[in-house]
Amino acid sequence: MTTPPVLVHLVEPAAWRAALTEGALRPPSLADAGFVHLSAPEHVHRPAGRLFPGRRDLVLLVVDPARLEAPVRWEPGTAEDPPDLRFPHLYGPLPTSAVVAVVPWRPPVPPVLPAPDDAFGRAQALQTSLQVRRAAEVRDVPGGVAVADPRFSHSRDDNTVVLTTQVDAATVARTTAAVAAELDWPVAAAALRWPGAGPVAAELAADGWEATELVVMAREAAPLPGGDAAEVVDQRALHALWDRSWRRGLPPLPELDEVVAQLIGREHRTGTVVAVHDVAVRAAGRPVAAGQLRVDGATAAVEAMMTEPAARGRGHADAVLARLVSLAAGAGCDLVVLEADAEDWPRHWYACRGFRVVGSVWEVVATR
């Protein structure tokens, strides 16, 4: 039987998070039957209905068959399946390095499954899947979902509308305003994450919305020299650095202390969903530059790159980035992605370090 470009496996998020630590997924079927149940994408609804009826909190692992070392055999499913239907059974553990994307399973909404060579699609899968898996509440909306967490009301990343399928500007505005009003968000915000969302963002900007283009950049996860000055640290060691950095980026609001406390307080949750590595360069014993790597299978994302103003120009950011990319390679990733403001200088800094632009997304915020 011809193997499709990707195979899929449905799993509970906690089991996938444990696999990221172990480097491989070993579900009970591996011990009981000797193999891991995989599916062609068009057939995954069958095991989903049998094993997880009504569940919408699962994740779908998108597997590149070319990265599997153990044999895959196409064999019959259960007695309820058509007699000529065959399922791919992996006779060995599923390595996390073979999983090119992790996609929320929210039937009847069809999942978007990026191809192994689709850097933009894999970047979007990581970002949106993380937001959904980390959210306290997820709601279906036209074109995507709304994620919410009232504990961190000042975090737009945790209280926003995330759209991965094209809708028009009027739908974005209407949906975002309605959700923001119902959930009492401080601002109405949406992320437009489908390819070619620029015209819709421009239409919203013409209607008074604040629209920011973020370029999605990617590079190979090959070890980089120069990371020896940076070390992996406990995330709590970075709280003071984050506090100083985020205060510099915020206006002097009366609730500033609460805003910063929420931005710091939200961060520990990411490590419960994906594998997180925090890296820093110290000077006089305290972190002065830092960055974070988020690993989700074969894809890793660089986040929260920052350097104290007084410590800039000394190569600290280069050391942090080199350590992060090398950590991604060591975790079995083949792709490292990030997002940068299209109008700001860091995008050019990243380009000089091997990152290429693979697409754009837009963040829009209502200003009235």
Side-chain angles (χ1 to χ4, degrees), residues 217-220 224 305 315 317-319 321-322 325 345-356:
M217 308 184 75
R219 61 156 290 149
E220 179 188 4
L224 284 179
M305 287 285 294
D318 274 300
L321 186 63
V325 174
W345 64 267
R347 64 169 295 184
H348 305 293
W349 186 86
Y350 289 120
C352 292
R353 286 146 185 85
F355 284 86
R356 69 190 191 282

Side-chain angles (χ1 to χ4, degrees), residues 106-197:
R106 296 183 60 80
V109 180
V112 178
L113 309 180
D117 61 353
D118 180 4
F120 179 78
R122 289 172 60 179
Q124 295 318 293
L126 195 158
Q127 176 66 19
T128 58
S129 179
L130 172 60
Q131 287 179 285
V132 170
R133 284 183 274 166
R134 198 175 56 184
E137 180 182 353
V138 183
R139 300 184 180 187
D140 293 324
V141 299
V145 296
V147 296
D149 195 328
R151 298 171 299 173
F152 309 103
S153 59
H154 292 289
S155 170
R156 291 182 191 171
D157 197 40
D158 295 288
N159 298 277
T160 191
V161 172
V162 183
L163 303 175
T164 53
T165 302
Q166 183 172 352
V167 292
D168 59 31
T171 300
V172 176
R174 182 173 58 253
T175 300
T176 304
V179 173
E182 184 175 352
L183 296 177
D184 196 28
W185 289 347
V187 296
L192 313 185
R193 293 193 164 272
W194 68 84

Side-chain angles (χ1 to χ4, degrees), residues 281-294:
V281 173
R282 297 180 189 268
R286 72 186 184 104
V288 295
Q292 184 178 94
L293 187 75
R294 300 172 177 179

Side-chain angles (χ1 to χ4, degrees), residues 24-46:
L25 180 70
R26 295 177 173 85
S29 68
L30 186 59
D32 298 340
F35 56 80
V36 178
H37 290 272
L38 301 177
S39 300
E42 65 270 22
H43 297 145
V44 70
H45 65 282
R46 291 184 174 276

Side-chain angles (χ1 to χ4, degrees), residues 14-27 93-97 274-275 277 295 297 330-332:
W16 172 243
R17 178 61 187 90
L20 288 170
T21 299
E22 298 296 325
L25 180 70
R26 295 177 173 85
L94 173 59
T96 56
S97 59
V274 297
H277 305 274
V295 176

Side-chain angles (χ1 to χ4, degrees), residues 63 240 318 337:
V63 179
D318 274 300
V337 299

